[in-house]
Amino acid sequence: MDFKASLALIAPEILLSLSSLALLLVAAWGRNSSRLVSILAAVALGGAAFVAAPALCAGAMGPDTMAFGGQFAADAFASFSTILIYVAAIACLMVAPTFFDRNGAMRPEYPVLVLLATLGMGIMVSATDFITLYIGLELNSLAAYVLASFMRADDRSAEAGLKYFVLGALASGILLYGISLVYGFTGTTSFEGARAALTGELSMGALFGLIFVLAGLAFKISAVPFHMWTPDVYEGAPTPVTTFFSTAPKVAAIALTARVALDAFGAQVDAWRQIVIFAALASIILGALGAIGQGNLKRLLAYSSINNVGFILIGLAAATASGASAMLVYLAIYVAMSLGSFVAVLMLRTAEGEQLEGVADIAGLSRTRPLLALCLAAMMFSLAGIPPLFGFWGKFVVFQAAVQADLVALAAIGIAASVIGAFYYIKIVKVMYFDEPVDVVKGGSDWAHWLILGATTLFVSPLGYLLTGPLGELADRAAAALFFVA
Amino acid sequence: MGGFPILSVMLLVPLLAGIACLFVEAKAARTIALAATLVDLALGIALWLNFDIGGAQWQFTERAPIFAGFNYALGIDGIAMLLIVLSVFLMPICILASQSIEKRVGEYMAAFLFMEVLMIGVFAAQDLFLFYIFFEAGLIPMYLIIGIWGGQNRIYASYKFFLYTLLGSVLMLIAMLWMVNEAGTTDIPTLMQYDFPAGAQTWLWLAFFASFAVKMPMWPVHTWLPDAHVQAPTAGSVILAGVLLKMGGYGFIRFSLPMFPEASAQFVWLIWGLSMAAVVITSLIALVQQDMKKLIAYSSVAHMAIVTVGLFAFNVQGLEGAMIVMLSHGLVSGALFLCVGVIYDRLHTREIDRYGGLAINMPKYALFFLLFTMASIGLPGTSGFVGEFLSLAGIYQANTWVTLVCATGIILGAGYMLYLYWRIAFGVQKNADAAAMPDLSLREWLMLAPIAAAVLWMGVYPESFLAPMRQDIAALDARLSRAAPEGDAHLVAGTPRAEAANAVGGTHSVGHGEAEGAH
């Protein structure tokens, strides 16, 4: 494959790199250009999504999608994930200005950092070589560390950034160590080569490599037992950044994990399946138990995201095309639910515009702000997986894949544990609907918040089921691309 | 009805009305809700009148491929039709009973209308997952109804209701996924004819049992019911007792029995044992209750146990009896909760001791209350008798000892219901405020009189209710016959008379008609 064709395949990434560099220059010259830079960044993301879309619609897969000698795959799977990431990033750009403006902290660097992080994620989901993987991961992480401590005058934000950095660096170290072991025992860094080398009996060294790689990735997707940074970082980071963290990087890390597990280690499913099953069940249970005692909504939603990762990993444990497809469907629904919940939290403001995050602050919200309460309640029931809300469908396809892969016991334990999670979701509904109003949520909200909350609420409402056909078809195409080599 | 999608319209009317109720003020919401439920009642009557008895098993079928993975498929047989009619019959009465609700009326009416959509959906769904969605979705409006408009201890009751029933039904979902994977279809009528391997049936049956036993509710997983009933507003209790409990019985009759006949036979002693325990234990508990609603709630558990033994008698009488008990209990316990609601609205207490001698100042109320008390006991001439007699006759063929224990439930039932009636309606007027209560208003007449008429109709001429479902019960019995456990009664049927027993001027053939037990 020649160089020109490779460049054509990475067109979305080139577009994002050039626009982030250009916007950095704009930011350097105009201190008050944050709104303009935000809009341009969103336009660039939209453009990149538009450029990436044809690969998904055509179900692109195979050698034609490989760029730079097999280091980068612009296939349907990558396309599905990147589009999801770009859409989430656009939403996070839209909700940020209102939040930061009030603190006088809005800077044009924010959209630029989001763009760079998104670029890293695009590389992550397309990586078919451990080196490409690492470059994408670090590009994403470095931008994310800065974003977490974006409100540098705020102690909590600075602490979140530092914590994220130290633990993230540790995870990167673990991942690199695992990659070096895999390289040492297979003699290659490409996924395809690793897959060909890792057949039959797995050597002890290669097994250690596999475990370290998965441990490093488990940290990035915040699966138990590598989840402990999540609540602190989610709570400390500014809420728009938390919204970003809980959506786009999650999609990227999970898609990356799926590709590594099913492609590079695809011949050793039995070796990693038990690890994934453990991580899945532990995430579901600990994520649910941890959330019960939380009094801070952001912290609670952090545990909720750990819980959801557990369900997604059940799809991975199936190790089938329908399992991968189920993961993508779940991810799409999860992104909508997560965006909606965090935007609803962003809209909780006092009359003075101060941000509220406590569970107690939303007591009786259904009487003071009925529409907001209705949207948040829909999100909660959806996260709990209660039909007829669309969150149920995500759980449904994941468990269906597990049952089809003969993992009935895993499915039964997983779904029984989901009842624990339902407890704290309905607790939020109880606080909003059954308790006496405290009436502290007064602040007005801008149109961007309502737009995103409205759109996500419609998506998780029963109307979402009308999308089951197209969504399932696209996810199937993406999953087929992932399994092309198999 | 031609191609008119009557079932979809029945779903759509309350759905749209419910959404409308969210956006209007109290008075308009009441009117919209009443109008919508009356339209649905009219449609329900049309459904009954157009139901072709003896025709195709599945009628009014609709199918639309708008989802992936499952179908929007509706259709009913006689069993489902009767339960739908019961639901739409009770709904306008519930709306009328909700006059005393004053806070957040729009949301309240919306919750009830959504509930109606889901109830009809459960009974009409012909797709396994569509059924599950309707079945499970009922948790949300019911959680809100108990939690927002309930009594003192409503938070605890709402949590208990939600988590208990959720835990019960999630395992059923896994079983459904397995079944669909095995059989390759989500179509309920096809699955009802599909023979699952006997080993797998055991697990599938247990998963479905976990769900339906909680919903039913069977002893010992019934404890959510008294809490939920007592804390729910009157109309909430009526819907809970009248229709939601029927979902468990409907689940057994639609899924557990036809889909897993061998496993049903295998677990027959589990069902019988729990039902016998329920009849005796919950009846005794009901005897000592001081709270009217709690007493009726416990009596519901006892009645539902009669339903389960009837269902698991594996013969036509038992199945028919179970269905009639379900319909009758839906009417009677609903009416009893309304009776409690009538005096609760006046005195705002459910404590039995605060009343007394109501027959003096509220004679019309006392008359209705007496009728429903008798129907609950199972007095001949009321619907309760028909159902209980058929169920017990059915179970007698299967096991005489179970019949003996379950029949005590009728005696105990007479005990607690008459004791309740005596303390409330008879005796001296010991409380001045209770003695000053006015008799039934026009609205309360409108609520109670239709139910009373239905109770008497079902008691005097049950054929109207048995005819639509006869063919479906026979089909189910045929499917079950290969697994039916052998009974210990060994009944020997005599030669039937040549003509009807009340024929005048015929030949004097005597003594052949009675069926004789061999021991």
Side-chain angles (χ1 to χ4, degrees):
Chain A
M1 172 155 289
D2 62 20
F3 202 65
K4 223 167 109 186
S6 292
L7 284 178
L9 285 171
I10 62 164
E13 278 72 26
I14 293 176
L15 174 63
L16 284 185
S17 340
L18 292 180
S19 42
S20 56
L21 292 176
L23 289 177
L24 198 59
L25 290 178
V26 176
W29 260 275
R31 290 306 330 170
N32 298 321
S33 57
S34 55
R35 187 160 286 272
L36 175 71
V37 176
S38 290
I39 294 171
L40 288 176
V43 170
L45 285 166
F50 189 71
V51 175
L56 177 60
C57 298
M61 61 175 88
D64 287 349
T65 61
M66 303 298 261
F68 302 114
Q71 295 195 52
F72 187 98
D75 56 7
F77 180 76
S79 175
F80 188 101
S81 316
T82 44
I83 290 172
L84 204 52
I85 291 167
Y86 295 157
V87 170
I90 292 172
C92 295
L93 284 174
M94 285 170 70
V95 297
T98 328
F99 178 87
F100 287 121
D101 276 348
R102 200 182 48 77
N103 302 304
M106 188 59 192
R107 290 162 185 284
E109 283 88 351
Y110 177 81
V112 176
L113 283 167
V114 169
L115 265 190
L116 285 170
T118 315
L119 173 62
M121 293 174 218
I123 297 174
M124 278 161 80
V125 296
S126 302
T128 48
D129 188 289
F130 283 111
I131 302 298
T132 324
L133 178 163
Y134 192 72
I135 292 171
L137 192 67
E138 284 306 289
L139 180 55
N140 163 38
S141 301
L142 283 173
Y145 302 144
V146 184
L147 282 173
S149 48
F150 199 73
M151 284 175 56
R152 52 192 173 182
D154 180 24
D155 280 352
R156 283 200 312 169
S157 177
E159 185 194 322
L162 190 62
K163 251 183 200 162
Y164 196 17
F165 174 67
V166 172
L167 289 170
L170 178 71
S172 293
I174 294 174
L175 181 69
L176 265 187
Y177 184 57
I179 291 175
S180 71
L181 279 174
V182 171
Y183 174 66
F185 282 84
T186 60
T188 175
T189 55
S190 88
F191 287 3
E192 209 180 339
R195 183 191 176 89
L198 292 175
T199 45
E201 187 74 18
L202 199 57
S203 71
M204 186 55 82
L207 179 65
F208 264 90
L210 184 154
I211 292 172
F212 275 107
V213 168
L214 286 182
L217 293 176
F219 186 93
K220 295 293 175 192
I221 61 174
S222 67
V224 175
F226 303 100
H227 65 288
M228 53 292 179
W229 58 277
T230 319
D232 289 342
V233 172
Y234 277 31
E235 187 190 351
T239 313
V241 177
T242 314
T243 315
F244 183 61
F245 283 175
S246 73
T247 51
K250 203 85 137 191
V251 177
I254 288 171
L256 171 67
T257 311
R259 206 193 272 276
V260 169
L262 296 170
D263 192 354
F265 301 140
Q268 294 292 343
V269 170
D270 293 330
W272 55 259
R273 181 178 267 160
Q274 48 183 325
I275 303 175
V276 171
I277 288 180
F278 169 78
L281 290 181
S283 302
I284 293 173
I285 294 171
L286 271 177
L289 291 178
I292 289 175
Q294 301 305 328
N296 181 294
L297 282 170
K298 281 163 74 182
R299 229 181 149 75
L300 187 137
L301 287 171
Y303 277 104
S304 150
S305 86
I306 297 171
N307 181 260
N308 277 289
V309 164
F311 290 112
I312 297 174
L313 286 180
I314 287 186
L316 180 59
T320 55
S322 66
S325 160
M327 286 174 78
L328 292 175
V329 171
Y330 197 114
L331 270 176
I333 299 170
Y334 166 75
V335 164
M337 296 190 294
S338 206
L339 272 178
S341 321
F342 277 109
V343 170
V345 172
L346 264 174
M347 291 164 75
L348 303 173
R349 284 203 296 264
T350 59
E352 293 79 46
E354 201 153 321
Q355 207 69 35
L356 295 167
E357 294 172 4
V359 173
D361 296 328
I362 56 169
L365 196 67
S366 68
R367 270 184 271 179
T368 52
R369 305 286 297 273
L371 196 57
L372 181 57
L374 185 71
C375 292
L376 191 52
M379 292 296 159
M380 289 299 129
F381 280 124
S382 182
L383 279 165
I386 310 292
L389 295 158
F390 205 34
F392 166 73
W393 187 248
K395 293 209 167 62
F396 178 87
V397 287
V398 164
F399 284 115
Q400 190 169 37
V403 169
Q404 280 168 356
D406 262 341
L407 298 170
V408 180
L410 170 69
I413 299 172
I415 205 162
S418 77
V419 178
I420 312 174
F423 174 72
Y424 65 85
Y425 292 125
I426 64 169
K427 192 177 107 180
I428 300 289
V429 177
K430 171 236 161 196
V431 170
M432 287 192 299
Y433 276 81
F434 304 171
D435 289 358
E436 287 306 309
V438 289
D439 207 13
V440 289
V441 178
K442 300 272 194 197
S445 307
D446 73 342
W447 62 272
H449 289 157
W450 275 117
L451 179 72
I452 292 173
L453 187 62
T456 50
T457 307
L458 274 185
F459 184 73
V460 304
S461 77
L463 291 177
Y465 282 87
L466 296 175
L467 295 174
T468 49
L471 188 62
E473 184 145 326
L474 290 178
D476 281 345
R477 259 181 228 167
L482 190 57
F483 274 81
F484 179 72
V485 278
Chain B
M1 293 304 277
F4 183 65
I6 186 166
L7 290 170
S8 290
V9 173
M10 284 179 82
L11 292 174
L12 207 57
V13 168
L15 181 69
L16 294 179
I19 294 172
C21 279
L22 284 175
F23 296 101
V24 296
E25 18 110 49
K27 202 166 154 50
R30 283 183 213 277
T31 321
I32 292 176
L34 190 61
T37 49
L38 284 174
V39 169
D40 248 26
L41 176 60
L43 287 169
I45 293 169
L47 197 66
W48 193 353
L49 294 178
N50 285 289
F51 187 83
D52 180 14
I53 295 172
Q57 185 183 7
W58 302 98
Q59 304 184 14
F60 306 103
T61 50
E62 294 169 32
R63 189 169 279 272
I66 50 173
F67 306 119
F70 66 105
N71 282 312
Y72 177 79
L74 301 178
I76 50 170
D77 62 354
I79 295 170
M81 186 274 286
L82 287 172
L83 288 167
I84 289 178
V85 171
L86 173 70
S87 313
V88 296
F89 176 72
L90 286 176
M91 276 312 292
I93 296 172
C94 283
I95 302 294
L96 280 178
S98 305
Q99 287 298 322
S100 56
I101 300 286
E102 268 148 21
K103 66 171 179 177
R104 301 158 88 181
V105 179
E107 286 165 296
Y108 178 90
M109 294 301 167
F112 267 89
L113 290 167
F114 291 146
M115 203 66 226
E116 180 171 21
V117 176
L118 299 173
M119 291 182 310
I120 298 172
V122 162
F123 297 128
Q126 271 207 309
D127 184 280
L128 203 57
F129 295 125
L130 189 66
F131 167 83
Y132 183 82
I133 288 174
F134 282 126
F135 186 78
E136 193 78 340
L139 288 180
I140 298 176
M142 212 56 217
Y143 173 70
L144 296 175
I145 288 170
I146 297 173
I148 300 178
W149 297 279
Q152 295 293 317
N153 203 9
R154 58 184 203 272
I155 310 280
Y156 170 75
S158 62
Y159 275 157
K160 198 168 177 178
F161 166 79
F162 193 96
L163 295 175
Y164 240 79
T165 38
L166 180 65
L167 183 63
S169 37
V170 289
L171 291 174
M172 181 171 78
L173 179 64
I174 298 294
M176 285 178 168
L177 289 169
W178 193 90
M179 286 161 63
V180 170
N181 194 28
E182 165 88 10
T185 177
T186 55
D187 187 46
I188 290 178
T190 314
L191 285 167
M192 283 168 73
Q193 300 300 327
Y194 188 89
D195 294 313
F196 290 99
Q201 277 193 23
T202 309
W203 294 103
L204 296 175
W205 190 92
L206 282 174
F208 277 78
F209 174 74
S211 176
F212 298 143
V214 171
K215 209 75 169 198
M216 190 92 197
M218 292 179 74
W219 185 87
V221 286
H222 66 283
T223 57
W224 64 269
L225 181 77
D227 286 315
H229 263 324
V230 171
Q231 300 305 331
T234 301
S237 301
V238 174
I239 281 301
L240 252 178
V243 188
L244 286 190
L245 300 193
K246 308 303 168 283
M247 289 185 187
Y250 178 75
F252 278 124
I253 212 167
R254 177 69 76 234
F255 298 97
S256 299
L257 286 170
M259 292 184 193
F260 326 120
E262 276 81 19
S264 299
Q266 184 188 347
F267 286 108
V268 80
W269 271 103
L270 176 70
I271 296 276
W272 288 349
L274 293 182
S275 305
M276 286 189 290
V279 166
V280 177
I281 295 174
T282 53
S283 296
L284 290 175
I285 295 175
L287 210 47
V288 295
Q289 292 307 316
Q290 294 302 320
D291 182 310
M292 292 186 285
K293 269 187 155 179
K294 226 169 191 161
L295 192 150
I296 300 168
Y298 278 110
S299 87
S300 291
V301 182
H303 280 112
M304 287 298 118
I306 304 280
V307 173
T308 45
V309 290
L311 289 175
F312 283 81
F314 286 83
N315 54 42
V316 171
Q317 276 105 324
L319 291 166
E320 283 184 348
M323 273 304 295
I324 296 285
V325 173
M326 284 207 276
L327 296 173
S328 153
H329 176 266
L331 296 171
V332 172
S333 71
L336 284 171
F337 279 118
L338 289 173
C339 286
V340 172
V342 165
I343 51 178
Y344 179 81
D345 285 347
R346 288 165 171 66
L347 212 56
H348 297 284
T349 174
R350 293 182 304 264
E351 206 181 318
I352 298 172
D353 278 348
R354 295 278 288 108
Y355 299 94
L358 292 190
I360 298 165
N361 56 324
M362 300 175 76
K364 296 191 183 75
Y365 169 79
L367 179 69
F368 276 117
F369 194 16
L370 182 69
L371 173 71
F372 296 127
T373 302
M374 290 306 165
S376 175
I377 297 166
L379 194 78
T382 63
S383 57
F385 171 75
V386 181
E388 287 182 3
F389 179 80
L390 276 171
S391 297
L392 292 175
I395 191 68
Y396 186 83
Q397 295 169 34
N399 195 298
T400 46
W401 288 103
V402 178
T403 320
L404 181 69
V405 176
C406 290
T408 61
I410 301 193
I411 300 164
L412 289 169
Y416 59 73
M417 285 313 294
L418 290 175
Y419 186 45
L420 170 73
Y421 189 77
W422 172 64
R423 285 182 290 172
I424 288 184
F426 293 159
V428 290
Q429 293 178 308
K430 55 187 173 183
N431 299 304
D433 46 0
M437 296 195 301
D439 208 345
L440 296 182
S441 68
L442 177 66
R443 177 178 67 85
E444 287 154 352
W445 263 97
L446 285 176
M447 279 154 43
L448 294 173
I451 305 189
V455 164
L456 289 173
W457 179 12
M458 203 188 289
V460 175
Y461 193 68
E463 176 62 17
S464 314
F465 302 87
L466 287 169
M469 63 185 179
R470 181 160 290 135
Q471 198 187 350
D472 305 308
I473 298 274
L476 179 58
D477 185 56
R479 174 124 178 100
L480 286 175
S481 58
R482 66 160 193 247
E486 204 191 341
D488 66 352
H490 305 298
L491 298 183
V492 179
T495 329
R497 293 164 192 255
E499 68 285 315
N502 57 352
V504 182
T507 49
H508 296 277
S509 55
V510 246
H512 296 297
E514 292 98 61
E516 288 170 81
H519 67 110

